[in-house]
Amino acid sequence: MKRRRPNSPDRGTPLRRSSRLWKTDIEASRLRELCNYCKLLKIRESPVNKGLYQRTLKEISQSVDKGCKMCRFLTRRFTNFSDSAQDHPDDVWSLSISQYEEAYGNNRRPTQVTLMLNHHKTNLKYDICRLPSTFTGQALNDFVRTYEEEHPQVDHGHLGYFPRLVEREPLSDATIALVRDWLRTCTNHAFCRAQKDQPLPKRLIDVRSNGKVMLIEPKGETGRYLALSHCWGSVDDAFSTTKDNIAKRISEGIEICKLPKNFQDATAFTRRLGYHYLWIDSLCILQHDQDDWACEASKMAWYYSNAILTLVVADAFTCHVGFLSVRNHSTSPSIPGEGEEYYCLREALREDCDLNMTAPISRRAWTLQERLISPRVVHFTRDQLLWHCREDEWAEGYVHNTHRSHNEFRLGCQKAGHFIDREEGDAYWRSRSSDPDYKPFFDTEFAAETWYNCVSEYTTRSLSMPSDKLAAISGLAEKYAVPELGQYLAGLWEQDIFRGLAWTRVKTGERSESQYMSYIAIKAKRTLAARSFKPPLLYRAPSWSWASVNGPVEIPSSLFYFVKRGASAGMQYEVKHWGNKYGPRLVSHDLRHSRQSPYLDIEKGSSIQVEGYCRRLWVSKTKLSSTAIGPKGPFIKEIVFDNDQPEELFCYLEKPRQLERVWKELLVLQICKQRTGLRLVYGLLLEKMHGTEDAYMRVGIVELACYNLCNMMKGPSTGFTYYMHPTQQRFRGISKAHYKTKEWQKDRWQKRTIKLF
């Protein structure tokens, strides 16, 4: 009989089995769950694997009926699979594997699977997740796992797109460790605000007590805290702080079980992350107290800016939903690799651009400035955690998110963030300059463009109280306020006032998203925001401000930059010539505010006085004569009214004889000129106010499409068309009659000084 060693286990304890035996058991268990075809599947390390899985629908359907878990996993996302298998049994489903060309460090591995159905042209994407070395064959959703890939360092450059499994519990040790790793990595970012003690807000939630949280008033202390950004939903005074309950909340605290679920989860996450303080607007600002609200609303920009981290609840419509629920990701049975490693397939997680298009948090107006002002945010989605800071973005389900370059909203956030925290960027460039007197260049045009991009995104979102139209973006405006932009004028900036006046409401029409549509137009179409162009019931801004209308608005990007976007010298000459000939001038402004802050609101009677070139325009809803010139004509390309837009319009430069059938008699004021594209001129459509001389209100905007408005710069004898206006070039198919017009003669435009209310 074989003798046992002194340190060997008791007779009743089974001997440890070798890893080879474990692997054998794993393989046997795995094969019992699969059909004969799926037993042969293997993930290979070659860059592209074509035809990994090619079967007819009839074969797949038979395997599903026999209990193959892999076939069942692949067909569960195809809603009409059973019908298709009966109608098209010979159609082939093919599965191909791809891997990212750019590697993470020096490693390469397969990353994604695409499932294609030939007949219906259906493409379903699945991530390939590598299982940890501790995987022992049990159900994938049950094993405890840590993130094995180390976090990428900043100097690695553009990193690979490596999927990884996500913990079921958002409060697990692995998830908390990952967020701490993100925070630690962000400290090395040159453009991210330093993680240090900051002046604490007027009120905070202290989360250290068991079973309750305390409302405290730090009174000038410094420290570190987290902030919460979420959708309120229906406002309930039971959980809000008011004059009646603030004393009790400070002395006795608030029982956690009585708080809304979002607040409970935010408290739990703050504790697990190791911080003591949390700022939540409805708990830290007195509700129904106008004085306290006005005071704290004016400081909101600094509260979010100074927070170490902002927790963003992305997928909850109300504060009672919560955001730390279990994540149940659908995964396939394990698939062996070329070595001893195992993989599994997971349904591809939602991309960041989809988050901003569809998530509830992206539809609330207040949350935009909370997102942009915060130097670091973690989005809690139903699938995973997403990290955003001034320099980078990461995802819990991927080692690195490579879709960022295609996300227009993310790029806009990054541009705005670099401007908001420009002190960090200026310090970085100053440290790299050999000039001791180096002064960072301030690009006014860049600042204005990023501001109006933020405005366009903001107007796609909704407000529970329409009177907050200016207040809900006041914190962002305060961060943008610099001497180079001048005074803040009801959502516009003094030094860029005329480009700001060129805002126009977004018209999605019947175009599909496959046709050219801006990001704002696509979002407006998806969220139905473009249908909300009804005049506001109460006054909230002058007619010339975008804040005076409902629904999404845009300021054309073609008004900004020509040198940096490849425009020719002829374009620059043309714009300069128009500015010298017709350029408007801001004479004065008279803005009135009911509160001390100029950003929160504006009172009725506020106005600006401008000097510029004007002419009259008559508009009818029916065609009155053959002299109608547009829209879509040689002089007027487009005309858009701010509120009511008739289905059909006809414009006249001379007073029609049937004056009683004229819908509106308007004044056109030239305000700015495009720098790219067709280089159109934008004009305000103004309606005279009764009983006041030279007082007008804006009712819309017009694109003037005359093509010989400005003198053209003469080019060299060769390549002359390079300097010609685009519409004059032959491939445009524009006849001379379309741009040979006298309507741009200066004597047909009258220079006037008018007031806009």
Side-chain angles (χ1 to χ4, degrees), residues 240-260:
S240 301
T241 300
T242 63
K243 283 183 176 180
D244 298 332
N245 61 20
I246 183 173
K248 183 177 180 180
R249 291 189 168 189
I250 292 176
S251 61
E252 301 179 11
I254 314 169
E255 293 184 28
I256 295 179
C257 62
K258 294 183 178 179
L259 290 174

Side-chain angles (χ1 to χ4, degrees), residues 543 685-689 695-700 755-757:
S543 65
L685 294 176
L686 306 174
E687 192 168 25
K688 186 174 177 58
M689 297 177 65
Y696 290 83
M697 295 184 66
R698 168 180 164 145
V699 295
K755 270 191 174 185
L756 304 181
F757 287 87

Side-chain angles (χ1 to χ4, degrees), residues 344-362:
C344 71
L345 304 184
R346 176 193 65 195
E347 294 180 10
L349 303 183
R350 184 170 42 167
E351 296 181 13
D352 200 25
C353 54
D354 294 330
L355 173 70
N356 185 63
M357 284 285 188
T358 59
I361 197 71
S362 68

Side-chain angles (χ1 to χ4, degrees), residues 2-49:
K2 188 175 181 179
R3 297 178 60 186
R4 291 180 177 272
R5 295 180 181 178
N7 59 352
S8 63
D10 297 335
R11 289 182 182 274
T13 305
L15 295 175
R16 167 178 277 182
R17 307 181 69 185
S18 67
S19 61
R20 181 175 297 178
L21 292 176
W22 275 116
K23 294 292 183 182
T24 303
D25 290 348
I26 295 170
E27 187 68 11
S29 174
R30 185 184 71 85
L31 293 177
R32 283 195 297 268
E33 301 174 343
L34 305 179
C35 63
N36 291 333
Y37 192 96
C38 293
K39 289 176 182 178
L40 302 177
L41 290 178
K42 180 175 285 191
I43 302 295
R44 303 185 184 277
E45 298 293 338
S46 58
V48 177
N49 274 315

Side-chain angles (χ1 to χ4, degrees), residues 415 443-456 480 485 492-493 495-503 554-567 571-572 575 672-677 679-680 682:
K415 289 180 180 180
D443 191 338
T444 305
E445 195 164 10
F446 171 79
E449 184 188 29
T450 59
W451 166 257
Y452 293 126
N453 287 341
C454 293
V455 166
S456 296
Y480 262 83
L485 287 176
L492 312 180
W493 296 99
Q495 296 302 321
D496 200 71
I497 183 69
F498 292 107
R499 269 190 297 218
L501 290 172
W503 59 265
E554 276 187 302
I555 294 181
S557 59
S558 57
L559 297 176
F560 297 91
Y561 292 109
F562 36 42
V563 177
K564 296 181 181 179
R565 294 186 178 175
M571 293 184 185
Q572 299 177 49
V575 171
C672 55
K673 190 178 190 304
Q674 283 184 342
R675 301 186 174 191
T676 56
R679 285 119 76 184
L680 308 170
Y682 285 84

Side-chain angles (χ1 to χ4, degrees), residues 171 178 204 279 309 368 476 480 517 532 566 573 677 696 740:
L171 287 180
L178 183 66
L204 277 172
W279 190 86
L309 182 65
L368 177 65
L476 187 61
Y480 262 83
M517 288 179 67
S532 60
Y573 177 86
Y696 290 83
K740 289 287 185 179

Side-chain angles (χ1 to χ4, degrees), residues 59-264:
E59 294 171 342
I60 298 174
S61 178
Q62 291 173 349
S63 295
V64 170
D65 294 339
K66 292 179 181 180
C68 176
K69 291 188 176 181
M70 180 64 73
C71 292
R72 184 179 301 167
F73 171 80
L74 294 175
T75 58
R76 62 178 297 177
R77 291 176 64 191
F78 190 46
T79 55
N80 299 322
F81 175 76
S82 299
D83 295 338
S84 298
Q86 293 179 1
D87 298 339
H88 309 281
D90 296 328
D91 280 1
V92 176
W93 227 343
S94 63
L95 197 68
S96 63
I97 295 181
S98 62
Q99 78 177 25
Y100 236 76
E101 293 301 323
E102 298 186 70
Y104 170 43
N106 296 320
N107 300 321
R108 298 177 65 86
R109 79 160 191 241
T111 56
Q112 200 169 68
V113 158
T114 303
L115 186 62
M116 294 170 288
L117 178 60
N118 298 338
H119 180 76
H120 294 279
K121 299 181 180 179
T122 301
N123 289 342
L124 302 177
K125 294 187 180 298
Y126 298 90
D127 294 325
I128 304 176
C129 300
R130 183 163 57 190
L131 299 179
S133 57
T134 55
F135 175 64
T136 58
Q138 63 267 43
L140 298 180
N141 288 333
D142 294 338
F143 68 83
V144 178
R145 182 193 59 81
T146 58
Y147 295 97
E148 293 190 333
E149 286 97 353
E150 293 182 357
H151 194 279
Q153 297 299 315
V154 176
D155 57 358
H156 281 184
H158 189 71
L159 302 169
Y161 169 81
F162 282 7
R164 57 185 173 193
L165 292 173
V166 173
E167 288 286 339
R168 296 180 73 243
E169 296 288 344
L171 287 180
S172 66
D173 292 341
T175 303
I176 296 298
L178 183 66
V179 176
R180 288 174 179 164
D181 193 28
W182 288 342
L183 279 165
R184 183 171 58 254
T185 306
C186 185
T187 59
N188 299 321
H189 289 169
F191 293 95
C192 292
R193 182 180 285 265
Q195 300 176 31
K196 60 183 180 180
D197 290 354
Q198 299 283 1
L200 296 178
K202 182 178 180 179
R203 302 183 190 95
L204 277 172
I205 302 299
D206 189 334
V207 302
R208 286 176 288 184
S209 301
N210 291 326
K212 63 171 61 177
V213 294
M214 305 296 296
L215 183 63
I216 64 171
E217 295 181 335
K219 296 181 179 179
E221 299 177 21
T222 60
R224 304 186 182 193
Y225 63 94
L226 273 61
L228 180 68
S229 176
H230 68 114
C231 294
W232 281 33
S234 58
V235 179
D236 187 355
D237 292 339
F239 66 81
S240 301
T241 300
T242 63
K243 283 183 176 180
D244 298 332
N245 61 20
I246 183 173
K248 183 177 180 180
R249 291 189 168 189
I250 292 176
S251 61
E252 301 179 11
I254 314 169
E255 293 184 28
I256 295 179
C257 62
K258 294 183 178 179
L259 290 174
K261 196 66 172 68
N262 284 1
F263 299 177
Q264 295 181 32

Side-chain angles (χ1 to χ4, degrees), residues 335-608:
I335 306 173
E338 290 184 320
E340 295 187 354
E341 70 279 358
Y342 278 86
Y343 299 90
C344 71
L345 304 184
R346 176 193 65 195
E347 294 180 10
L349 303 183
R350 184 170 42 167
E351 296 181 13
D352 200 25
C353 54
D354 294 330
L355 173 70
N356 185 63
M357 284 285 188
T358 59
I361 197 71
S362 68
R363 301 187 184 187
R364 182 177 177 237
W366 279 96
T367 59
L368 177 65
Q369 67 173 5
E370 297 167 5
R371 162 72 177 85
L372 296 177
I373 294 172
S374 300
R376 287 166 290 274
V377 300
V378 169
H379 288 273
F380 291 82
T381 74
R382 62 176 178 268
D383 297 326
Q384 61 177 332
L385 270 61
L386 298 172
W387 168 281
H388 296 268
C389 61
R390 298 300 187 221
E391 281 200 22
D392 224 325
E393 66 178 29
W394 300 303
E396 187 182 8
Y398 304 95
V399 175
H400 206 272
N401 184 1
T402 58
H403 298 292
R404 56 184 180 164
S405 59
H406 305 291
N407 188 342
E408 187 170 339
F409 175 70
R410 193 211 65 83
L411 292 175
C413 290
Q414 189 177 57
K415 289 180 180 180
H418 285 175
F419 181 81
I420 293 168
D421 286 340
R422 56 191 174 277
E423 294 179 2
E424 282 71 16
D426 292 349
Y428 171 77
W429 293 115
R430 193 179 293 110
S431 66
R432 296 176 64 90
S433 175
S434 58
D435 183 3
D437 299 325
Y438 170 80
K439 293 183 179 179
F441 171 71
F442 182 86
D443 191 338
T444 305
E445 195 164 10
F446 171 79
E449 184 188 29
T450 59
W451 166 257
Y452 293 126
N453 287 341
C454 293
V455 166
S456 296
E457 167 64 29
Y458 173 75
T459 56
T460 65
R461 303 177 176 220
S462 60
L463 286 162
S464 55
M465 298 184 65
S467 58
D468 289 342
K469 189 79 170 184
L470 288 173
I473 202 173
S474 60
L476 187 61
E478 190 173 356
K479 281 290 186 179
Y480 262 83
V482 291
E484 291 84 352
L485 287 176
Q487 188 170 336
Y488 184 67
L489 306 177
L492 312 180
W493 296 99
E494 180 183 13
Q495 296 302 321
D496 200 71
I497 183 69
F498 292 107
R499 269 190 297 218
L501 290 172
W503 59 265
T504 177
R505 70 184 183 95
V506 176
K507 295 199 307 179
T508 58
E510 298 301 324
R511 292 180 295 176
S512 65
E513 294 180 17
S514 60
Q515 297 172 292
Y516 174 75
M517 288 179 67
S518 67
Y519 162 79
I520 296 299
I522 293 175
K523 182 174 182 180
K525 190 179 184 70
R526 290 187 185 181
T527 61
L528 304 181
R531 299 184 183 181
S532 60
F533 274 98
K534 294 182 179 179
L537 298 177
L538 299 176
Y539 179 90
R540 63 188 183 210
S543 65
W544 42 267
S545 168
W546 52 263
S548 65
V549 300
N550 295 322
V553 302
E554 276 187 302
I555 294 181
S557 59
S558 57
L559 297 176
F560 297 91
Y561 292 109
F562 36 42
V563 177
K564 296 181 181 179
R565 294 186 178 175
S568 66
M571 293 184 185
Q572 299 177 49
Y573 177 86
E574 178 182 330
V575 171
K576 183 178 179 180
H577 182 271
W578 173 87
N580 293 334
K581 186 176 181 181
Y582 295 111
R585 181 174 69 91
L586 179 64
V587 178
S588 63
H589 50 77
D590 178 21
L591 271 67
R592 307 166 188 179
H593 307 280
S594 61
R595 302 185 178 100
Q596 287 185 340
S597 172
Y599 307 103
L600 290 174
D601 69 345
I602 191 167
E603 289 190 320
K604 197 170 186 177
S606 299
S607 65
I608 57 175

